[in-house]
Amino acid sequence: MLKFAGIQNPYTIGEFSVEKNAKVIQRYRYIHENLITIAAGHLPAREDWDLKVALGKHLYEDAEATDQLRKRLSQLRTSAQFINRDPDPSLSLLMEELIQANNDLELTIGIYDVIKPALIQTYKKHIAETQQIVDQPTIRILRSIIIDLEEQVAWGQEMIKVMQQANVYSEGSDEFKDKLQSFLIAAGGVDGLNEKSSSLPHRWRSLRAYNLPIKSVRDPRNMGPTTLSRTSVSNPPENPIHANLLFMMRVRQEEMTAAELIAGVIFSQKNMPWEFYFDLARHLWDEIRHALFGQAALENEGYEWMSQPQYTSDYDINAHKLPGTQYTWLSIGIEEGAMTRTGKRAEYEFCRDEAKHPLMTQFQDYDWADEVVHANLGRKWTPDLIGENIEFVREVAKQELEDFWDKVKASYSNK
Ligand SMILES: [Fe+2]
Ligand SMILES: [Fe+2]
């Protein structure tokens, strides 16, 4: 159809007034935004490496979805103050129960077998029932979110199958799924438009608060032990350049610990503007991408990295500190510190000119670009987090770095 730019059913009255539309989109926004916090809270506690990686990617995609939905809300006569409110106590209860997942399987079922399939179903219904001209901006946003959600759910379904076959966690996961589903029904579904029962559900596990682990977890069934020391690969090559290159691959692979530190900050740091969580979600996913650079490079060379000891210092040494101090240590101490001539640029040039390794050269090229962004994020947010100017923050970073390296050095001499 050439008329209406191809928009179908232009004469049909839609389901949503502006007010009703804002009300349901506020619920969509709330769910995606909470899924960020939940994935961040669980990242350091979960065991399976592939699950950690996926949580990081999907958390970033949830942040992109949240950001789009927030912008759309602001176009629907919704004040910024209203956007930051929790829309419905029974939806809050659903999220508070989801974060109480006891293991990898429960969390995977909760996100990928309960919440996200319900989101897809609701968004498809919204797209079909809304007035096609008036609500085209929402339709476009929901369509793009559905593309991400369908990929995420397909991944999650496969993961659930693999975990169920391995039979490590199965106890209790059916009950967890049933409970979450009953909380979702009690909330009237994702959009709250289904009939709500007047008998409100009782809290189940969420009487207690969810706490971050004090030490990050690596899968005890197929990964090496956590360590505060770098261990490179077993049988490193004799050629010092090649040995150095493999060491660098391993350092990249172990950046999961940086992602976990950021996850802890996202989870613990309350009351920052939305843009802070949006920035840190990307920062977190970048660090997981860096871990994947290392994983891909090592696997491509035929090195088995998973059974090696796993460096977890970034999270484990800093976990007891205030979230602002943790983010200062990483973004100013480590990342701004890597902007010198001997930092990220030198790593890239080493791969290009000395090791002459095309894949690692490409990885380090982008790693360097990402780190420029991260140092900027540090300068943008740490003064706010610490409550002092950037010169003061740099002094904090210096002290935290000294403390950190002392603990890492001690771990070497204890061997
Ligand atoms: Fe990194
Ligand atoms: Fe970084």
Side-chain angles (χ1 to χ4, degrees), residues 182-252:
S182 71
F183 291 127
L184 181 58
I185 290 166
V190 167
D191 55 17
L193 298 177
N194 296 342
E195 208 177 317
K196 270 193 190 178
S197 137
S198 61
S199 64
L200 293 177
H202 295 213
R203 279 191 188 282
W204 181 42
R205 290 178 180 169
S206 68
L207 287 164
R208 60 173 191 224
Y210 176 80
N211 290 312
L212 290 171
I214 195 68
K215 269 194 76 187
S216 50
V217 176
R218 293 293 177 273
D219 200 332
R221 279 167 297 280
N222 55 30
M223 295 187 81
T226 63
T227 163
L228 302 184
S229 323
R230 299 281 187 188
T231 56
S232 193
V233 293
S234 57
N235 310 315
E238 272 179 30
N239 176 325
I241 290 177
H242 201 199
N244 202 353
L245 179 70
L246 281 157
F247 185 84
M248 198 183 289
M249 291 176 187
R250 200 69 220 293
V251 171
R252 290 288 79 76

Side-chain angles (χ1 to χ4, degrees), residues 252 255 286-287 290 335 344 367 371 374:
R252 290 288 79 76
E255 288 197 45
D286 286 349
E287 300 310 342
H290 300 167
E335 295 177 320
K344 285 292 156 190
D367 182 79
E371 294 310 334
H374 300 168

Side-chain angles (χ1 to χ4, degrees), residues 104-122:
D104 288 17
L105 180 59
E106 285 192 358
L107 184 71
T108 309
I109 286 175
I111 297 173
Y112 303 100
D113 208 23
V114 179
I115 308 289
K116 292 204 162 176
L119 289 177
I120 293 173
Q121 209 189 3
T122 307

Side-chain angles (χ1 to χ4, degrees), residues 8-241:
Q8 306 286 315
N9 305 323
Y11 316 120
T12 311
I13 295 175
E15 180 63 34
F16 301 100
S17 64
V18 168
E19 192 186 346
K20 189 174 176 186
N21 208 356
K23 212 171 160 185
V24 296
I25 294 174
Q26 167 69 337
R27 294 171 71 98
Y28 309 162
R29 187 282 306 165
Y30 175 80
I31 295 172
H32 285 286
E33 201 165 321
N34 267 269
L35 286 170
I36 301 168
T37 317
I38 292 168
H42 272 273
L43 184 64
R46 298 285 45 95
E47 299 180 335
D48 188 275
W49 176 266
D50 297 323
L51 176 60
K52 284 176 184 283
V53 170
L55 286 175
K57 176 168 181 280
H58 301 165
L59 168 163
Y60 158 67
E61 290 165 354
D62 280 320
E64 290 286 343
T66 304
D67 198 56
Q68 299 259 308
L69 295 168
R70 280 177 163 267
K71 286 194 182 121
R72 183 63 185 137
L73 280 168
S74 73
Q75 299 157 4
L76 296 169
R77 299 197 298 261
T78 308
S79 70
Q81 202 189 4
F82 177 84
I83 297 175
N84 287 321
R85 283 179 52 188
D86 297 352
D88 175 357
S90 44
L91 211 49
S92 303
L93 177 62
L94 173 68
M95 292 292 131
E96 286 160 20
E97 291 291 340
L98 173 59
I99 202 170
Q100 294 292 338
N102 278 334
N103 56 49
D104 288 17
L105 180 59
E106 285 192 358
L107 184 71
T108 309
I109 286 175
I111 297 173
Y112 303 100
D113 208 23
V114 179
I115 308 289
K116 292 204 162 176
L119 289 177
I120 293 173
Q121 209 189 3
T122 307
Y123 296 171
K124 286 187 170 168
K125 191 168 111 245
H126 189 126
I127 289 169
E129 292 177 354
T130 197
Q131 215 293 333
Q132 299 293 296
I133 303 170
V134 301
D135 208 20
Q136 187 277 337
T138 306
I139 295 174
R140 187 175 172 278
I141 292 167
L142 292 182
R143 229 189 251 146
S144 73
I145 299 175
I146 289 172
I147 293 174
D148 282 343
L149 284 170
E150 285 183 336
E151 268 184 32
Q152 295 164 7
V153 167
W155 181 91
Q157 294 292 331
E158 198 181 326
M159 183 51 122
I160 290 166
K161 225 181 285 164
V162 168
M163 284 198 276
Q164 278 170 340
Q165 276 161 7
N167 217 16
V168 187
Y169 305 111
S170 38
E171 215 174 304
S173 63
D174 289 343
E175 190 190 10
F176 186 71
K177 183 180 170 179
D178 291 346
K179 283 281 186 187
L180 287 184
Q181 245 147 8
S182 71
F183 291 127
L184 181 58
I185 290 166
V190 167
D191 55 17
L193 298 177
N194 296 342
E195 208 177 317
K196 270 193 190 178
S197 137
S198 61
S199 64
L200 293 177
H202 295 213
R203 279 191 188 282
W204 181 42
R205 290 178 180 169
S206 68
L207 287 164
R208 60 173 191 224
Y210 176 80
N211 290 312
L212 290 171
I214 195 68
K215 269 194 76 187
S216 50
V217 176
R218 293 293 177 273
D219 200 332
R221 279 167 297 280
N222 55 30
M223 295 187 81
T226 63
T227 163
L228 302 184
S229 323
R230 299 281 187 188
T231 56
S232 193
V233 293
S234 57
N235 310 315
E238 272 179 30
N239 176 325
I241 290 177

